[in-house]
Short mmCIF file of all heavy atoms in Angstrom, two decimals:
data_model
loop_
_atom_site.label_atom_id
_atom_site.label_comp_id
_atom_site.label_asym_id
_atom_site.label_seq_id
_atom_site.Cartn_x
_atom_site.Cartn_y
_atom_site.Cartn_z
N CYS A 18 0.86 -1.18 0.00
CA CYS A 18 0.00 0.00 0.00
C CYS A 18 0.90 1.23 0.00
O CYS A 18 1.97 1.22 0.63
CB CYS A 18 -0.89 -0.02 1.24
SG CYS A 18 -1.83 1.51 1.55
N VAL A 19 0.49 2.28 -0.69
CA VAL A 19 1.21 3.54 -0.60
C VAL A 19 0.26 4.63 -0.13
O VAL A 19 -0.95 4.57 -0.35
CB VAL A 19 1.87 3.96 -1.94
CG1 VAL A 19 2.93 2.96 -2.35
CG2 VAL A 19 0.84 4.17 -3.03
N VAL A 20 0.83 5.62 0.56
CA VAL A 20 0.05 6.70 1.14
C VAL A 20 0.43 8.02 0.46
O VAL A 20 1.60 8.38 0.41
CB VAL A 20 0.30 6.81 2.66
CG1 VAL A 20 -0.60 7.90 3.27
CG2 VAL A 20 0.08 5.47 3.34
N ASP A 21 -0.58 8.72 -0.06
CA ASP A 21 -0.43 10.05 -0.64
C ASP A 21 0.63 10.11 -1.75
O ASP A 21 1.64 10.81 -1.64
CB ASP A 21 -0.09 11.06 0.46
CG ASP A 21 -1.28 11.45 1.30
OD1 ASP A 21 -2.42 11.12 0.91
OD2 ASP A 21 -1.08 12.06 2.37
N PRO A 22 0.37 9.41 -2.86
CA PRO A 22 1.34 9.45 -3.97
C PRO A 22 1.24 10.75 -4.77
O PRO A 22 0.51 10.85 -5.75
CB PRO A 22 0.92 8.24 -4.82
CG PRO A 22 -0.56 8.12 -4.59
CD PRO A 22 -0.77 8.53 -3.16
N GLY A 23 2.01 11.72 -4.37
CA GLY A 23 2.01 12.99 -5.07
C GLY A 23 2.75 12.95 -6.38
O GLY A 23 2.65 13.87 -7.19
N GLU A 24 3.51 11.88 -6.60
CA GLU A 24 4.31 11.73 -7.80
C GLU A 24 4.29 10.26 -8.20
O GLU A 24 4.25 9.37 -7.34
CB GLU A 24 5.74 12.21 -7.54
CG GLU A 24 6.59 12.37 -8.76
CD GLU A 24 7.96 12.96 -8.44
OE1 GLU A 24 8.32 13.05 -7.26
OE2 GLU A 24 8.66 13.31 -9.41
N THR A 25 4.34 9.99 -9.50
CA THR A 25 4.22 8.63 -9.99
C THR A 25 5.55 7.89 -10.05
O THR A 25 5.66 6.74 -9.59
CB THR A 25 3.61 8.64 -11.41
OG1 THR A 25 2.38 9.35 -11.40
CG2 THR A 25 3.37 7.22 -11.89
N ALA A 26 6.57 8.51 -10.62
CA ALA A 26 7.82 7.81 -10.94
C ALA A 26 8.48 7.13 -9.75
O ALA A 26 8.92 5.98 -9.86
CB ALA A 26 8.79 8.77 -11.62
N PRO A 27 8.59 7.78 -8.58
CA PRO A 27 9.26 7.11 -7.46
C PRO A 27 8.54 5.85 -7.00
O PRO A 27 9.17 4.88 -6.56
CB PRO A 27 9.26 8.17 -6.36
CG PRO A 27 9.08 9.47 -7.05
CD PRO A 27 8.22 9.17 -8.23
N VAL A 28 7.20 5.85 -7.11
CA VAL A 28 6.43 4.67 -6.72
C VAL A 28 6.66 3.54 -7.72
O VAL A 28 6.93 2.39 -7.33
CB VAL A 28 4.92 5.00 -6.62
CG1 VAL A 28 4.13 3.75 -6.28
CG2 VAL A 28 4.68 6.09 -5.58
N ILE A 29 6.56 3.85 -9.00
CA ILE A 29 6.79 2.83 -10.02
C ILE A 29 8.19 2.24 -9.89
O ILE A 29 8.40 1.03 -10.01
CB ILE A 29 6.57 3.41 -11.43
CG1 ILE A 29 5.10 3.76 -11.63
CG2 ILE A 29 7.05 2.43 -12.50
CD1 ILE A 29 4.80 4.42 -12.97
N ASP A 30 9.16 3.09 -9.61
CA ASP A 30 10.54 2.64 -9.51
C ASP A 30 10.72 1.57 -8.44
O ASP A 30 11.31 0.51 -8.69
CB ASP A 30 11.46 3.83 -9.21
CG ASP A 30 12.91 3.43 -9.10
OD1 ASP A 30 13.48 2.97 -10.10
OD2 ASP A 30 13.48 3.56 -7.99
N ILE A 31 10.18 1.80 -7.24
CA ILE A 31 10.36 0.82 -6.17
C ILE A 31 9.50 -0.42 -6.40
O ILE A 31 9.91 -1.54 -6.09
CB ILE A 31 10.09 1.45 -4.78
CG1 ILE A 31 10.59 0.51 -3.67
CG2 ILE A 31 8.62 1.78 -4.59
CD1 ILE A 31 10.59 1.16 -2.30
N LEU A 32 8.31 -0.24 -6.98
CA LEU A 32 7.47 -1.40 -7.27
C LEU A 32 8.15 -2.32 -8.28
O LEU A 32 8.18 -3.56 -8.10
CB LEU A 32 6.12 -0.95 -7.81
CG LEU A 32 5.19 -0.20 -6.86
CD1 LEU A 32 3.93 0.24 -7.60
CD2 LEU A 32 4.82 -1.05 -5.65
N GLU A 33 8.71 -1.75 -9.33
CA GLU A 33 9.34 -2.56 -10.36
C GLU A 33 10.66 -3.15 -9.87
O GLU A 33 10.99 -4.31 -10.16
CB GLU A 33 9.57 -1.71 -11.61
CG GLU A 33 8.30 -1.12 -12.21
CD GLU A 33 7.32 -2.18 -12.67
OE1 GLU A 33 7.75 -3.15 -13.32
OE2 GLU A 33 6.11 -2.04 -12.37
N ARG A 34 11.42 -2.36 -9.14
CA ARG A 34 12.73 -2.82 -8.67
C ARG A 34 12.61 -4.00 -7.71
O ARG A 34 13.43 -4.92 -7.72
CB ARG A 34 13.47 -1.66 -8.00
CG ARG A 34 14.90 -1.99 -7.60
CD ARG A 34 15.63 -0.77 -7.09
NE ARG A 34 15.13 -0.29 -5.82
CZ ARG A 34 14.49 0.86 -5.66
NH1 ARG A 34 14.24 1.64 -6.71
NH2 ARG A 34 14.07 1.24 -4.47
N GLU A 35 11.56 -3.97 -6.86
CA GLU A 35 11.40 -5.02 -5.85
C GLU A 35 10.29 -6.00 -6.18
O GLU A 35 9.91 -6.82 -5.34
CB GLU A 35 11.17 -4.38 -4.48
CG GLU A 35 12.31 -3.46 -4.05
CD GLU A 35 12.21 -3.03 -2.60
OE1 GLU A 35 11.50 -3.71 -1.82
OE2 GLU A 35 12.84 -2.00 -2.25
N ALA A 36 9.77 -5.92 -7.40
CA ALA A 36 8.71 -6.84 -7.86
C ALA A 36 7.53 -6.87 -6.90
O ALA A 36 7.04 -7.93 -6.50
CB ALA A 36 9.28 -8.25 -8.05
N LEU A 37 7.04 -5.68 -6.55
CA LEU A 37 5.93 -5.54 -5.63
C LEU A 37 4.63 -5.30 -6.40
O LEU A 37 4.65 -4.79 -7.52
CB LEU A 37 6.18 -4.38 -4.67
CG LEU A 37 7.44 -4.47 -3.82
CD1 LEU A 37 7.66 -3.18 -3.04
CD2 LEU A 37 7.38 -5.66 -2.87
N THR A 38 3.52 -5.63 -5.76
CA THR A 38 2.19 -5.44 -6.35
C THR A 38 1.47 -4.33 -5.58
O THR A 38 1.29 -4.45 -4.36
CB THR A 38 1.36 -6.73 -6.29
OG1 THR A 38 2.03 -7.75 -7.01
CG2 THR A 38 -0.02 -6.51 -6.88
N LEU A 39 1.06 -3.29 -6.27
CA LEU A 39 0.34 -2.20 -5.61
C LEU A 39 -1.11 -2.60 -5.40
O LEU A 39 -1.90 -2.64 -6.34
CB LEU A 39 0.44 -0.92 -6.44
CG LEU A 39 -0.23 0.32 -5.83
CD1 LEU A 39 0.36 0.64 -4.46
CD2 LEU A 39 -0.10 1.52 -6.76
N ASP A 40 -1.44 -2.87 -4.16
CA ASP A 40 -2.78 -3.36 -3.81
C ASP A 40 -3.72 -2.21 -3.42
O ASP A 40 -4.89 -2.22 -3.79
CB ASP A 40 -2.67 -4.35 -2.65
CG ASP A 40 -4.02 -4.87 -2.18
OD1 ASP A 40 -4.55 -5.78 -2.83
OD2 ASP A 40 -4.55 -4.34 -1.17
N THR A 41 -3.20 -1.23 -2.67
CA THR A 41 -4.06 -0.19 -2.09
C THR A 41 -3.32 1.14 -2.07
O THR A 41 -2.10 1.19 -1.91
CB THR A 41 -4.46 -0.57 -0.64
OG1 THR A 41 -5.08 -1.84 -0.64
CG2 THR A 41 -5.41 0.46 -0.04
N ILE A 42 -4.08 2.21 -2.22
CA ILE A 42 -3.57 3.57 -2.04
C ILE A 42 -4.44 4.27 -0.99
O ILE A 42 -5.67 4.23 -1.07
CB ILE A 42 -3.60 4.37 -3.36
CG1 ILE A 42 -2.66 3.75 -4.39
CG2 ILE A 42 -3.23 5.83 -3.11
CD1 ILE A 42 -2.73 4.42 -5.76
N LEU A 43 -3.80 4.91 -0.03
CA LEU A 43 -4.49 5.74 0.96
C LEU A 43 -4.25 7.21 0.63
O LEU A 43 -3.12 7.61 0.33
CB LEU A 43 -3.99 5.46 2.37
CG LEU A 43 -4.20 4.07 2.96
CD1 LEU A 43 -3.65 4.02 4.38
CD2 LEU A 43 -5.67 3.68 2.95
#
């Protein structure tokens, strides 16, 4: 889950780098 994604690229970077699945956003 990520909280308050004011920017897209940093989130995509860590999700792809660590093979994570974005389930929820708060």
Side-chain angles (χ1 to χ4, degrees):
C18 170
V19 296
V20 184
D21 284 347
E24 192 176 11
T25 306
V28 177
I29 293 177
D30 180 64
I31 193 170
L32 293 177
E33 301 298 315
R34 186 174 68 248
E35 301 191 20
L37 302 173
T38 300
L39 182 58
D40 178 80
T41 304
I42 295 175
L43 297 181

